[in-house]
Amino acid sequence: MSQAPSAVLSCGRPSTSYLKRMAHFSVASCTSSLLMIRIGTGRRHQIRLHCAHMGHVVVTDSKYAALDLYRLDTEWCPRNFLHRFSLTFWTGAEEMSAIEALPADLSAVLKVAVMLRSNVDVYQWTEQPKAWEELNV
């Protein structure tokens, strides 16, 4: 199997990501985890790079996955399985938030997956996501 490109550089800028594992599932002979990730910094490709550095690339990630794995992923997932479901920012003195459910194409992938272990009701969460603080996993 071909190797993925090196992800973390010693000369890179520091960044922080936090994660909560929501579920493990299997689809097309691949075992994966569904994660909720909260970034502490806002670096380019931060989530993808941190996952790759841990040895668990994002599904269908053409940049950080080994070519063989990327090709296998494309057989069951149409695109990079990464979705920003929650965004909070400040506009002057006011905090603004937006929450968006998982898109239909990514929800369809989960519906054909075999759930191996889940810490939450994944199907309900994909339609009505809960905030980071509300998810105790």
Side-chain angles (χ1 to χ4, degrees):
M1 188 177 269
S2 59
Q3 292 296 311
S6 176
V8 175
L9 302 174
S10 60
C11 62
R13 297 186 310 179
S15 59
T16 306
S17 297
Y18 306 93
L19 64 91
K20 292 183 179 184
R21 183 179 54 228
M22 297 173 57
H24 291 292
F25 62 93
S26 176
V27 62
S29 74
C30 295
T31 303
S32 298
S33 296
L34 182 64
L35 304 175
M36 178 187 283
I37 301 175
R38 185 176 201 169
I39 57 174
T41 50
R43 307 286 186 227
R44 185 176 185 188
H45 296 262
Q46 178 174 327
I47 292 171
R48 294 166 66 194
L49 196 139
H50 282 177
C51 287
H53 181 67
M54 292 186 303
H56 302 284
V57 294
V58 173
V59 169
T60 317
D61 189 336
S62 62
K63 182 171 180 69
Y64 295 105
L67 184 57
D68 295 347
L69 179 59
Y70 171 74
R71 287 181 178 154
L72 182 63
D73 286 350
T74 60
E75 293 177 12
W76 59 274
C77 187
R79 66 176 175 97
N80 194 296
F81 201 119
L82 189 59
H83 172 65
R84 179 185 299 173
F85 80 92
S86 174
L87 176 65
T88 302
F89 55 93
W90 288 88
T91 59
E94 185 179 7
E95 182 180 84
M96 304 290 290
S97 293
I99 293 180
E100 183 66 32
L102 198 63
D105 60 342
L106 298 182
S107 289
V109 169
L110 288 180
K111 288 178 180 163
V112 299
V114 175
M115 214 45 72
L116 301 175
R117 186 171 72 232
S118 183
N119 297 326
V120 297
D121 182 343
V122 172
Y123 305 109
Q124 180 182 7
W125 184 88
T126 60
E127 294 175 13
Q128 298 175 333
K130 293 183 179 180
W132 177 269
E133 297 80 13
E134 296 177 45
L135 194 63
N136 295 318
V137 295

